[in-house]
């Protein structure tokens, strides 16, 4: 295990996967990258990132660490208290948006606006936007070149 081991994601990663919580501090990411390069070819890696900008950061890190990403998941509402793991692809995001997402209860003045947003059609551009906005992400890949 590299990074903190407080995430529960056995449903999406096989036994023996190495969980990596990406540090925000670049020197710390470099140390993690060096440790990942010591893993054998084909080892499964789960990159976990809870901060905004996680899509780009995970992809850049994977590329620099010789990890070939196979699937990415959005952790909604957050990585550490995910109620849903949604594959970051247009079909699953659309299904989630139209069938599972809901406006939080309460007397929020934005409630009608948020309810209207949930009824909007979802296309590939929206999927990319949502994947960019949701900070929590688990990206699964394997060590080695394609």
């Amino acid at each position: 295990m590299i990074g903190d081991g407080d995430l529960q994601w056995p449903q999406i990663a096989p036994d023996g996967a190495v969980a990596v919580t990406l540090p925000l501090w670049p020197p710390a990411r470099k140390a993690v990258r060096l440790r990942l390069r010591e893993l054998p070819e084909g080892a499964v890696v789960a990159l976990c990132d809870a901060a905004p900008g996680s899509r780009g950061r995970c992809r850049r890190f994977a590329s620099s660490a010789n990890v070939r990403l196979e699937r990415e998941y959005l952790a909604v509402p957050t990585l550490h208290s995910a109620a849903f793991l949604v594959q970051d692809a247009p079909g699953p995001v659309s299904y989630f948006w139209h069938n599972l997402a809901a406006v939080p209860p309460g007397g929020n003045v934005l409630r009608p606006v948020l309810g209207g947003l949930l009824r909007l059609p979802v296309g590939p551009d929206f999927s990319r936007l949502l994947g960019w906005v949701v900070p929590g992400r688990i990206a699964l890949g394997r060590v080695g070149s394609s």
Side-chain angles (χ1 to χ4, degrees):
M1 177 77 57
I2 301 173
D4 64 28
D6 62 347
L7 301 175
Q8 300 298 317
W9 40 264
Q11 300 82 2
I12 62 169
D15 289 339
V18 177
V20 177
T21 301
L22 289 185
L24 289 177
W25 194 46
R29 277 199 308 271
K30 181 178 180 182
V32 171
R33 184 180 307 111
L34 293 174
R35 291 180 62 193
L36 279 179
R37 288 178 177 254
E38 296 173 0
L39 294 175
E41 179 99 8
V44 177
V45 177
L47 303 177
C48 306
D49 194 338
S54 62
R55 174 186 274 164
R57 192 170 31 261
C58 280
R59 290 177 180 179
R60 286 187 304 275
F61 180 86
S63 177
S64 68
N66 194 31
V67 173
R68 195 175 16 90
L69 292 182
E70 297 173 350
R71 292 184 312 275
E72 297 178 67
Y73 295 89
L74 305 174
V76 180
T78 69
L79 182 64
H80 295 285
S81 63
F84 300 97
L85 290 177
V86 181
Q87 190 169 3
D88 190 4
V93 167
S94 178
Y95 181 85
F96 169 76
W97 188 255
H98 289 297
N99 297 292
L100 301 172
V103 177
N108 190 327
V109 295
L110 294 177
R111 189 169 174 77
V113 173
L114 294 172
L117 286 173
L118 288 175
R119 289 187 292 277
L120 289 175
V122 176
D125 290 337
F126 181 82
S127 175
R128 283 192 288 275
L129 174 66
L130 192 62
W132 182 74
V133 172
V134 173
R137 174 172 302 272
I138 299 173
L140 294 176
R142 293 184 184 275
V143 173
S145 56
S146 48

